[in-house]
Amino acid sequence: MNKNEILLKAQKENKGKDIADLDVQRKGAYFAYFTGLFLIIIWDVVEGFTFHHINYGGNMVLFAMAATAFSVKYLQLRKTHELIFSLIYGLGTIAFLVLWILQLNGVMPR
C-alpha cells in the first residue's frame, strides 16, 4: 500500500472530514466559550459597581450557552449527568430571560 492509497482509505473512513481541522475548531470553540464567560462576569462586576445593578441579558446568554453545550453532550453521549446539567442551565436561562424582560419593561431597575 502506497502513501496515496493510505490517504484515500483514511479519507473514506473519516467520510472526508479533516480530523485536525475539527480538533482545532473544537479547541477554538472551547476558548471562545470561556472568553465569553470571563467577559460577561467582568461586565456584571463593572455594572454592579458603577450602576448598582446588572443587566440580566448577558447572564441569560451565558446560561443559554452552557445549556446548549450540555444538551449537545447529552444527545451525543446519553449520560444522565449531562442531562441534569442541561436542565439546570436551561432553567437558569429561563430565569434570567424573565428577569431581563422585567428589566426591559421597567418593572426592575435597569
Side-chain angles (χ1 to χ4, degrees):
M1 216 182 226
N2 68 23
K3 191 177 184 181
N4 286 335
E5 290 172 337
I6 293 170
L7 178 62
L8 287 173
K9 184 178 178 183
Q11 286 176 340
K12 187 180 271 188
E13 287 175 3
N14 293 324
K15 299 176 184 163
K17 296 178 183 171
D18 184 355
I19 301 301
D21 184 55
L22 292 173
D23 190 45
V24 170
Q25 287 180 23
R26 183 187 58 78
K27 287 178 183 175
Y30 179 80
F31 285 113
Y33 174 77
F34 282 104
T35 300
L37 171 76
F38 181 71
L39 290 173
I40 289 173
I41 290 170
I42 289 175
W43 173 10
D44 284 345
V45 169
V46 169
E47 278 197 346
F49 281 118
T50 306
F51 303 116
H52 305 292
H53 65 83
I54 61 171
N55 182 325
Y56 292 111
N59 294 325
M60 184 228 8
V61 170
L62 181 66
F63 273 72
M65 289 167 48
T68 302
F70 279 102
S71 295
V72 169
K73 284 178 70 176
Y74 172 72
L75 291 172
Q76 296 285 319
L77 304 174
R78 297 291 181 190
K79 293 184 178 179
T80 306
H81 71 278
E82 306 293 351
L83 176 61
I84 291 168
F85 279 103
S86 174
L87 293 172
I88 290 169
Y89 281 116
L91 291 172
T93 301
I94 293 167
F96 280 119
L97 175 63
V98 169
L99 290 170
W100 185 48
I101 290 170
L102 292 174
Q103 274 185 330
L104 291 174
N105 289 316
V107 176
M108 295 180 65
R110 294 183 205 203

